[in-house]
Amino acid sequence: MNHEETDHDNVQCVILAAGQGTRMKSDRPKVLHQIAGKPMVQYAIEAAASIGARRPIVVIGHGAEQVQNAIGDRADTVLQSPQLGTGHALLQARAKIDPAAETVLVLYGDTPFLSAETIRRLLDSHLAAQSVLSLITFTPGDPALYGRIVRDAGGRVVDIVEYKEATPEQRAIREVNSGIFCYQTRWLLSQLDRLQPRAGHGEYYLTDLVSLAAQDKARTATCSCDEAEVLGINDRAQLAAAERLMRETINTRLMLSGVTLIDPAHTYIEAGVTIGPDSLIYPGTHLRGKTAIGRACTIGPNAMVEDSTIGDRVEIVASLIEGATIEDDVDIGPFSHLRRGAHLCTGVHIGNFAEVKDSTLGPGTKQGHFSYLGNAAIGANVNIGAGTITCNYDGQRKHPTTIGDNTFIGSDTLLVAPVNIGHDAQTGAGAVVTHDVADHELVYGVPARPAKRATRNE
Ligand code: UD1
Ligand code: CA
């Protein structure tokens, strides 16, 4: 079996996400601030899943209800209240840790760049060394407030000292604690009770397990990683930097998979978006949510597409597309708005200032100029004239409009729903259609009435 694919199903992951995140200056819990459209805590949950670990346990506290709602059933949660430090957080999770799981992995809810590869390296070196405790350290440009890694003459880690408690000599240490740990479960469960609260503020430091292990001469191991992977997000400036980094990661992946981005720095694509090869994305484009875009499309400039499925060879210029399904060879824009439930079949043309909601437009249908279609089922090769409006709302309820294949809706037609227009029919310019129109019938006027000419010549 490929080593990379080994599942770590004996690993119980605990994600610490209860902290307040004071420096965000926000009513929203820190771990729910989004990066590339995903709440931060979601990255940790996905990291656990990506190595095949057991369903994670998330320690929640600050804004617990909101965090719980965002997590849904993707993880178990335990409440930490009050929040008395990282050691206290893991103590709250203890009862949920299955003693039969070989390894406990601790991740943070505010460290979204940690890769599966790095977690695997930590677990591999941990198991190979038969350690009771292993951790990821790194050597940042500025060690700032991170916990300092203290090693003995033999290079063994003997302590982690928080910046505010460190001596000047210790503050000079460049190697710091990422906070990402793994433990032999049996050892961890037997040692957690040894953690003592700090005098004064009463916090329990998870990092104290390092010196306890060292005192017992138990085996420990470290592995290192790039600063970029363990960046913690603490304030809005770091959040923006993280957003930029994540954007670069996503955009690079897409470009290497065959998508052209004219200006990646100004192209905003969320983590859950897929795009087929030979598609071309112009700047000022935002692709969000669960959006899938096919091959050889041209999107932008200044398009926003959210939660939509787009086929192949589709062109979208400066338009807003939300919750829509768009088949192949459609062109849209500039300045149109497709809303939830818009379904455009193959070859549809949408021009400017068109709005479509909860409506299907059949193959080859054209809606070229300022007009509104709502709650409508429209056949193939229909022409929607400029200024057409489905009057679908009577102030209380929405009503449907249907239009058959090959029908020609004249400019400025008002379709007062509920109303059915047959196939190969025609409405005259300015018609106010209050009654159904038969196949091949031409209606015009206010209110619209059938013309003497019964059949539209095509
Ligand atoms: C911690 C480490 C420090 C390390 C740094 C890396 C300790 C004592 N210190 O410091 O050595 O360099 O992370 O970023 O462990 N949390 C809870 N409950 C709490 C407190 C925190 O769940 O009571 C969670 C937070 O939501 C966060 C994580 O634990 O996801 C880290 O907490 P934070 O307060 O940011 O720790 P640091 O002081 O940065
Ligand atoms: Ca932190």
Side-chain angles (χ1 to χ4, degrees):
M1 196 206 281
N2 183 335
H3 173 76
E4 286 287 303
E5 288 163 8
T6 310
D7 264 6
H8 285 285
D9 51 7
N10 237 336
V11 173
Q12 174 63 66
C13 178
V14 180
I15 298 168
L16 307 189
Q20 181 170 8
T22 323
R23 280 177 282 167
M24 295 300 283
K25 309 251 164 69
S26 179
D27 287 339
R28 186 193 292 201
K30 176 163 86 171
V31 294
L32 294 189
H33 282 268
Q34 298 197 341
I35 296 170
K38 258 196 291 195
M40 267 189 254
V41 67
Q42 182 67 21
Y43 287 95
I45 293 173
E46 285 173 11
S50 72
I51 59 156
R54 297 179 175 200
R55 183 182 159 85
I57 301 165
V58 184
V59 182
I60 60 178
H62 185 74
E65 201 176 324
Q66 280 167 277
V67 180
Q68 172 73 69
N69 287 341
I71 291 171
D73 60 4
R74 285 183 282 244
D76 286 331
T77 53
V78 314
L79 185 65
Q80 183 199 16
S81 178
Q83 291 98 43
L84 296 178
T86 49
H88 183 252
L90 194 55
L91 276 163
Q92 310 312 302
R94 173 167 57 180
K96 290 219 173 178
I97 295 172
D98 176 3
E102 189 181 5
T103 308
V104 170
L105 169 70
V106 170
L107 303 178
Y108 284 177
D110 65 353
T111 312
F113 291 100
L114 187 65
S115 70
E117 290 67 42
T118 299
I119 300 174
R120 285 178 193 282
R121 267 200 300 120
L122 172 69
L123 291 168
D124 289 347
S125 64
H126 173 75
L127 294 172
Q130 297 184 305
S131 300
V132 298
L133 170 164
S134 303
L135 73 148
I136 298 176
T137 71
F138 66 112
T139 308
D142 173 14
L145 304 180
Y146 289 112
R148 301 300 201 261
I149 304 289
V150 182
R151 294 181 182 265
D152 66 13
R156 260 172 46 101
V157 178
V158 291
D159 203 1
I160 296 178
V161 185
E162 292 308 302
Y163 178 83
K164 56 179 180 266
E165 298 172 4
T167 63
E169 293 74 36
Q170 288 169 332
R171 286 182 179 182
I173 296 172
R174 309 291 306 265
E175 187 189 14
V176 299
N177 170 28
S178 70
I180 313 302
F181 280 85
C182 67
Y183 309 89
Q184 185 189 85
T185 306
R186 190 164 16 96
W187 183 84
L188 177 70
L189 294 177
S190 70
Q191 301 296 311
L192 268 174
D193 279 329
R194 294 175 71 189
L195 291 179
Q196 295 297 321
R198 282 291 186 283
H201 51 84
E203 272 193 40
Y204 293 75
Y205 289 2
L206 191 49
T207 44
D208 285 350
L209 288 177
V210 171
S211 51
L212 292 173
Q215 285 160 24
D216 293 351
K217 308 236 174 321
R219 261 183 236 256
T220 60
T222 61
C223 71
S224 61
C225 81
D226 235 35
E227 178 178 8
E229 272 199 56
V230 285
L231 275 181
I233 315 302
N234 298 303
D235 59 34
R236 309 265 183 160
Q238 288 170 328
L239 186 68
E243 182 76 35
R244 198 191 64 237
L245 267 174
M246 198 62 82
R247 179 156 70 241
E248 280 170 14
T249 305
I250 291 168
N251 288 352
T252 301
R253 167 171 57 74
L254 286 167
M255 289 187 281
L256 295 181
S257 77
V259 178
T260 297
L261 304 182
I262 300 285
D263 181 2
H266 298 99
T267 306
Y268 309 88
I269 305 176
E270 289 185 356
V273 174
T274 62
I275 308 179
D278 286 325
S279 284
L280 188 157
I281 316 293
Y282 282 102
T285 294
H286 299 249
L287 305 176
R288 305 166 65 165
K290 284 195 171 49
T291 290
I293 293 175
R295 311 169 74 95
C297 292
T298 305
I299 313 287
N302 303 327
M304 174 134 114
V305 183
E306 184 167 311
D307 294 329
S308 295
T309 303
I310 314 262
D312 298 335
R313 298 173 302 279
V314 170
E315 292 181 18
I316 301 173
V317 180
S319 291
L320 172 58
I321 317 291
E322 304 169 285
T325 304
I326 294 168
E327 298 184 9
D328 298 341
D329 301 297
V330 168
D331 73 293
I332 299 169
F335 317 124
S336 282
H337 186 188
L338 300 197
R339 294 166 53 203
R340 199 148 303 283
H343 182 148
L344 309 186
C345 296
T346 305
V348 163
H349 163 72
I350 301 281
N352 51 82
F353 305 105
E355 177 178 346
V356 180
K357 183 220 72 174
D358 261 331
S359 295
T360 300
L361 276 61
T365 284
K366 295 181 168 55
Q367 181 184 0
H369 322 276
F370 47 97
S371 50
Y372 170 62
L373 298 175
N375 304 85
I378 295 166
N381 301 311
V382 171
N383 183 81
I384 303 291
T388 297
I389 292 170
T390 52
C391 310
N392 61 329
Y393 186 48
D394 61 11
Q396 264 150 17
R397 287 193 300 147
K398 301 286 167 67
H399 300 283
T401 299
T402 66
I403 302 176
D405 295 348
N406 308 313
T407 282
F408 185 96
I409 304 296
S411 295
D412 239 342
T413 295
L414 303 185
L415 300 162
V416 183
V419 70
N420 300 302
I421 317 262
H423 63 77
D424 299 284
Q426 185 169 3
T427 69
V432 177
V433 181
T434 52
H435 289 90
D436 288 357
V437 176
D439 298 342
H440 298 284
E441 194 168 50
L442 163 67
V443 299
Y444 67 96
V446 182
R449 298 183 202 286
K452 293 190 192 79
R453 175 166 71 81
T455 305
R456 175 184 163 219
N457 302 317
E458 189 65 315

